[in-house]
Amino acid sequence: MSSVVAPAVVVEEIYDRSKEVKDFDDSKLGVKGLLDSGITSIPRIFYHPPESLPSTTPANKLTSDYEIPTVDLSRIDTDHRFTIVDQIKEASSTWGFFQVINHDVPLDVLNRALLSIKAFNEQPNEVKSKCYCRENERGMTFASNFDLFQTKAASWRDTLQMGMDRLDPDKVPEIVRNELIELDQYLERFAQTLMEMLGEGLGLERDRLENMACFERRHLAGHYYPYCPEADRTVGTKCHTDPSVFTILLQDQIGGLQVKHGENWVDVQPCPGALVINIGDILQIMSNDIYPSVEHRVVTNTYPEPRISIALFFNPSNLEILYGPLPEVITPPQKPALYKQFTMEDFMMKFKSKGLDGKSSMVDYFLL
């Protein structure tokens, strides 16, 4: 009599994403804490669909050897300013990204700020976890993924964020307080010059954008990207555009930032002392598409050393007036307005509801 072997029963693993997200957030460990615990594989909440993952091959090896434009500001106070304005206009309109050198922000100010973000994240968990929070009650937040509860797949990074224009210094961790406030002071002054030149490139009066309070609201994000044991499953920051007028980014020498140019992804090669500038969604709308807001992302860190970056986002402070394409850049019928008018309150409510989503940028929502 032959025996019959019953077929093996495959039991599908039960995955409760909501619970795992909550458990991760409640732990207040962040991804750095997970790494310190000795993990060799990452939690499933960080898995991204394979088709959305960047190649592990550097972007510039997959495409032509592109580089984003670099603008030298050393002669900005001479007649060469007109040439610099033209260079910034060209970079902004063709790439939406560029680097600036000789910008008068001291190198030691930049380096101290980066080191302070590194030191903050490398404190013992019992110290750092006291700062872990998502609610902006103290003028700052510290958490892993600001959109953790909205996104379908988390990114491998931890972020300290604060509103610099409304900051109570006493509520900022001492380990970063002086360094980030000093950085903000320098970048605020530089941003005024930058905004003037961006406006001049559009044919605006020098103080036009400043009079619209276009850069008074400043939001700082200090990102910490530790080594990832499964780099081929996740990302550092997924593809997105910035919901700002423009962003000033300081990155260390690890690299990892990539910009989409046409159909290609291009590495933004670290340049000592340089600042990376990118056009945000709001300026794309105000410029009526002359300056595009371009998709970018950060690949997962495969190096033993953490990747550190600091972004300062500049936004309008007036929540009541209407923003939209500027009259100076509209010439019907050849160049009609492409976007409807909106308030900043409407804009930010829309952004908070969608989070980072490179598939449909904020500008699409306001198209006429």
Side-chain angles (χ1 to χ4, degrees):
M1 185 176 181
S2 61
S3 60
V4 177
V5 179
V9 177
V10 178
V11 179
E12 184 175 348
E13 179 185 358
I14 298 175
Y15 173 53
D16 186 342
R17 178 173 178 79
S18 297
K19 181 180 184 304
E20 293 198 19
V21 165
K22 184 177 186 306
D23 289 347
F24 168 69
D25 199 52
D26 287 347
S27 75
K28 299 185 178 182
L29 289 174
V31 296
K32 175 63 164 62
L34 285 179
L35 188 65
D36 290 344
S37 71
I39 64 166
T40 57
S41 60
I42 64 176
R44 191 166 169 178
I45 63 173
F46 293 95
Y47 290 8
H48 285 247
E51 66 274 10
S52 70
L53 290 168
S55 169
T56 54
T57 303
N60 290 349
K61 300 300 182 184
L62 295 173
T63 67
S64 301
D65 191 19
Y66 289 131
E67 290 185 4
I68 69 168
T70 297
V71 180
D72 187 342
L73 304 181
S74 59
R75 298 168 61 191
I76 194 172
D77 294 325
T78 70
D79 289 344
H80 193 65
R81 178 188 176 95
F82 300 106
T83 300
I84 294 173
V85 168
D86 287 341
Q87 291 172 344
I88 288 176
K89 178 182 180 180
E90 176 69 13
S92 299
S93 59
T94 58
W95 281 81
F97 264 83
F98 56 96
Q99 294 195 97
V100 292
I101 57 175
N102 296 319
H103 43 66
D104 288 341
V105 181
L107 183 60
D108 61 330
V109 170
L110 304 179
N111 289 337
R112 284 198 301 268
L114 289 172
L115 288 173
S116 74
I117 293 295
K118 183 175 187 291
F120 171 83
N121 281 275
E122 295 180 354
Q123 296 176 105
N125 285 328
E126 58 269 23
V127 175
K128 188 172 54 174
S129 64
K130 295 177 182 177
C131 297
Y132 196 96
C133 63
R134 294 188 178 277
E135 300 301 322
N136 194 13
E137 297 175 354
R138 297 179 296 174
M140 57 163 281
T141 64
F142 170 61
S144 183
N145 293 255
F146 80 92
D147 58 350
L148 180 68
F149 290 89
Q150 291 83 39
T151 187
K152 294 179 181 178
S155 300
W156 195 253
R157 73 172 188 281
D158 297 327
T159 302
L160 177 68
Q161 301 189 67
M162 53 190 72
M164 302 307 293
D165 57 288
R166 52 201 181 279
L167 191 67
D168 181 350
D170 293 334
K171 295 182 179 179
V172 179
E174 186 176 357
I175 197 169
V176 298
R177 183 185 303 152
N178 293 337
E179 291 81 2
L180 296 187
I181 290 175
E182 183 181 36
L183 176 69
D184 173 66
Q185 291 171 343
Y186 274 100
L187 292 186
E188 182 187 12
R189 290 196 291 270
F190 169 64
Q192 182 172 1
T193 300
L194 177 63
M195 180 158 286
E196 289 175 355
M197 292 189 292
L198 286 167
E200 289 174 52
L202 295 173
L204 308 177
E205 294 293 330
R206 183 174 290 193
D207 58 357
R208 177 73 160 96
L209 297 176
E210 181 180 359
N211 289 342
M212 296 180 68
C214 276
F215 74 114
E216 292 183 358
R217 184 61 59 90
R218 305 184 309 284
H219 183 84
L220 182 144
H223 298 302
Y224 184 92
Y225 302 86
Y227 166 78
C228 182
E230 289 189 291
D232 58 348
R233 288 188 178 274
T234 190
V235 298
T237 300
K238 63 184 176 182
C239 170
H240 67 286
T241 59
D242 288 352
S244 59
V245 177
F246 60 82
T247 304
I248 300 177
L249 175 74
L250 167 62
Q251 64 170 347
D252 66 10
Q253 299 307 299
I254 296 293
L257 174 63
Q258 295 182 341
V259 172
K260 195 169 188 181
H261 186 59
E263 296 302 314
N264 297 319
W265 285 98
V266 180
D267 286 309
V268 178
Q269 302 292 349
C271 175
L275 295 171
V276 179
I277 313 299
N278 68 278
I279 304 301
D281 296 336
I282 297 173
L283 189 52
Q284 172 170 336
I285 293 172
M286 294 178 69
S287 71
N288 210 38
D289 279 1
I290 295 175
Y291 293 160
S293 177
V294 174
E295 290 179 337
H296 50 288
R297 66 190 182 191
V298 178
V299 300
T300 319
N301 183 16
T302 59
Y303 294 93
E305 284 295 309
R307 176 187 189 269
I308 314 294
S309 68
I310 301 175
L312 195 59
F313 304 93
F314 291 83
N315 289 296
S317 60
N318 193 322
L319 301 181
E320 297 178 354
I321 67 172
L322 291 174
Y323 293 88
L326 296 166
E328 294 92 331
V329 298
I330 300 172
T331 53
Q334 296 90 351
K335 295 181 181 179
L338 301 175
Y339 301 95
K340 55 190 173 184
Q341 302 283 314
F342 59 89
T343 66
M344 279 307 302
E345 186 174 14
D346 292 338
F347 185 90
M348 294 313 299
M349 285 180 62
K350 175 63 179 174
F351 173 71
K352 289 177 181 178
S353 70
K354 72 181 270 300
L356 293 184
D357 182 7
K359 300 298 182 184
S360 58
S361 76
M362 286 288 295
V363 297
D364 294 339
Y365 181 76
F366 294 98
L367 280 169
L368 283 171

